[in-house]
Amino acid sequence: MRKLDYAIETSDLTKCFDSLVAVNKLNLKVQKNSIHGFLGPNGAGKSTTIKMIVGLLRPNSGSLKVFGQEVHVDDANSRLNIGYMPELPKFPKHLKGAELLDIYGRMHGMSEQERAEQIPKLIDLVGLKGRENDLIGKYSKGMQQRIGIAQALLNNPELVVLDEPSIGLDPVGMMEVRELVKTVSKEGLTVFLSSHLLFEVEQMCDHVTILNKGIVLASDTLENVSHKLGPAIIHVDLLDLSAAVITAVKGLGFVSGTWRTGNELLVQVNTYNDVRADVSRAVTSAGGVIVGMSQKNANLEDIFIQLVTKDDGGKTQ
């Protein structure tokens, strides 16, 4: 794939804060016209990476390109193709929605005519038509997120970077933001979004990158990442998860991997057959007490837990 096919491309991108390596030789490729989910636990380096992408932080080493052009903190022109909404954006409550966008338009150097044409379009796009003259202080959280996305789109960027766009929203607000992100993508933009809401990412994204401790654990299409696990995952909740139980389950012929989260054992199997009875017998024979058990197809949450706990030394083989 040619470099010009990438909206974002990093090579050994590294950022340190004193002795802390927040981002460690990050190699990331984000395809143009995709919705790319950027995932990781708290402290994984997601926000630090985003701040480097939008030019708010200078990397210690490595390179970072947006549409083939190096991004530099001291060069605003290298960031003209980027729209950005930070996590939990704070807007002046005394301003009206349209007034806020007008101020941002002036900051972008847009003419009065450009602002007059662009702002009503964005107000309509984000579903705030009829509320543009209401004070932002009276907006719901979902409406504030939507006006935040509108300001990120104001300068007609080719890349939109959204940091936790659904955080703090109720289910209806999440759905509204999710549909808005899909609509924005259909306009031909690349969307790069950070989120800890894995179900939301599954609903929105076609590509994902999973980060932990500043290191990429997986980066591919959502479909390919999903295939990293077997056909199904069995979740076994136990009163107490012992090493003997793990050893017994690992000895079953159809088990291709196990990992634990607290007293829950996740069992990766290589068969579509319902083998919960076999797992139950293995657990009880090793002295384990089962509180609950379920089998389901592997999803992004399973993959995320497996990769992150394995990286933290929590997976058993």
Side-chain angles (χ1 to χ4, degrees), residues 269-285:
V269 302
N270 54 22
T271 177
Y272 286 97
N273 296 327
D274 188 348
V275 292
R276 285 175 292 178
D278 302 88
V279 173
S280 178
R281 282 190 290 270
V283 170
T284 54
S285 68

Side-chain angles (χ1 to χ4, degrees), residues 5-20:
D5 289 331
Y6 297 124
I8 302 171
E9 185 176 15
T10 72
S11 177
D12 290 339
L13 189 68
T14 301
K15 180 63 182 178
C16 303
F17 298 99
D18 296 324
S19 60
L20 173 65

